[in-house]
Amino acid sequence: MDPQIILAKIKQYPFAVGGAVVSIILIILIWQRGGISEILEAERDEVDKEWTIIEENDKRAVQLEEHVAQLKANAAELGDRLMSAEQRALNYQYIFELEAETGIRIQSLNQAELSKTRKKGAPKLTLFQPIAYTLSARGTYTQILDFLNKLHRGKYFVRVDDFNSSSASQVEPGLVSISMSMDFLGSK
């Protein structure tokens, strides 16, 4: 076709030609952007969910600074309840103080090697280490129970692994002998 004829037809029907051009452009845009509306709606839904979570967190964040400070204080307090394997004298002193408070008589107290007291299949600790002790003592039944209670509620976290008791002897009636192994929770 001759370009002069095409220009004449465009001048003769300008609205029809403009509508056809706009229609073609719109068809191309709709074809290219066909799946975007679903994607955008999905993204909007995700943003709405995140915003809801942010609003809920903001409502619950009342006195957040005080709560964080309390958590830090609790963590420091828990850290103070961990025994240190390097401070053997202080560890022994703690147990001997319990002896004096309860009235039992410690016959032997030894920091044991962990490999000898560690039970097979026990989980390995990554942040902490157990500090093992073996203890033999004598006292009345009430004194022994008081010692165990003070040990359990004392300064350090402790677990009694093995515990054996028997009457002391005919020479000392009313006394009970105990032997036990215990693990204190210590820091690495």
Side-chain angles (χ1 to χ4, degrees), residues 84-179:
S84 174
E86 291 82 31
Q87 297 178 340
R88 289 184 129 187
L90 292 175
N91 300 344
Y92 279 105
Q93 179 183 0
Y94 172 71
I95 297 171
F96 286 127
E97 286 173 0
L98 291 177
E99 173 192 34
E101 288 177 22
T102 59
I104 67 166
R105 287 179 291 169
I106 294 179
Q107 295 170 323
S108 72
L109 175 64
N110 296 309
Q111 187 170 349
E113 290 181 33
L114 187 58
S115 61
K116 291 182 180 178
T117 62
R118 194 80 176 145
K119 295 189 181 209
K120 291 182 181 177
K124 294 190 179 190
L125 302 174
T126 56
L127 299 175
F128 307 103
Q129 67 178 358
I131 302 169
Y133 282 91
T134 57
L135 174 123
S136 297
R138 282 192 179 169
T140 65
Y141 185 70
T142 306
Q143 289 172 331
I144 298 295
L145 289 178
D146 190 31
F147 175 77
L148 289 173
N149 185 38
K150 288 187 185 288
L151 185 67
H152 174 70
R153 297 182 187 276
K155 178 180 178 182
Y156 299 112
F157 294 113
V158 65
R159 177 184 66 197
V160 175
D161 278 336
D162 295 318
F163 183 86
N164 296 313
S165 66
S166 62
S167 62
S169 69
Q170 299 291 343
V171 178
E172 298 177 296
L175 292 183
V176 177
S177 291
I178 62 166
S179 63

Side-chain angles (χ1 to χ4, degrees), residues 11-81:
K11 288 181 183 177
Q12 185 178 2
Y13 304 106
F15 290 114
V17 172
V21 170
V22 170
S23 296
I24 291 172
I25 292 173
L26 287 176
I27 289 171
I28 291 172
L29 287 175
I30 290 171
W31 179 69
Q32 286 184 343
R33 301 186 62 153
I36 290 183
S37 63
E38 291 86 17
I39 294 170
L40 292 176
E41 285 179 21
E43 286 179 8
R44 187 193 68 201
D45 291 342
E46 287 294 320
V47 169
D48 285 344
K49 288 178 186 176
E50 289 178 21
W51 181 251
T52 304
I53 291 170
I54 290 170
E55 285 179 332
E56 287 296 318
N57 288 343
D58 188 43
K59 288 177 189 174
R60 293 180 185 155
V62 177
Q63 299 174 335
L64 184 61
E65 293 81 18
E66 292 85 7
H67 292 154
V68 169
Q70 182 64 43
L71 285 173
K72 287 181 181 178
N74 291 348
E77 181 182 329
L78 290 175
D80 291 341
R81 294 192 65 194

